[in-house]
Amino acid sequence: MAPEQAERVIFMTGGAFTEQSRAFLAGTGLPCLDKPIDAQRLRALMAAMPPLGSRNVHAEPVASTM
């Protein structure tokens, strides 16, 4: 993932059932929506996302180990 896109991730899950999954999601500081997805909440989160290039483009990319 490009570093400038890392802060624009919204995780969606059917349930973070393991402690490792919950810890990963909590550690990202990024929003996570549980399924079934609430379309209104998703749209609100997307609208609140920073525009590309608006922050530190040298930030470390978010990587998933799941």
Side-chain angles (χ1 to χ4, degrees), residues 31-57:
C32 181
L33 296 173
D34 291 322
K35 292 179 184 175
I37 301 300
D38 178 329
Q40 184 175 5
R41 173 105 168 102
L42 175 59
R43 283 190 293 273
L45 287 170
M46 291 172 61
M49 287 283 155
L52 281 173
S54 66
R55 293 194 185 169
N56 182 5
V57 296

Side-chain angles (χ1 to χ4, degrees), residues 2-5 7-8 15 17 22 24 26 28 31 37 40 42-45 49-52 55 58 61-62 64 66:
E4 66 273 12
Q5 294 175 345
E7 66 190 10
R8 297 173 49 85
F17 299 113
R22 286 189 294 271
F24 171 79
T28 67
I37 301 300
Q40 184 175 5
L42 175 59
R43 283 190 293 273
L45 287 170
M49 287 283 155
L52 281 173
R55 293 194 185 169
H58 301 291
V62 175
S64 174
M66 290 188 264

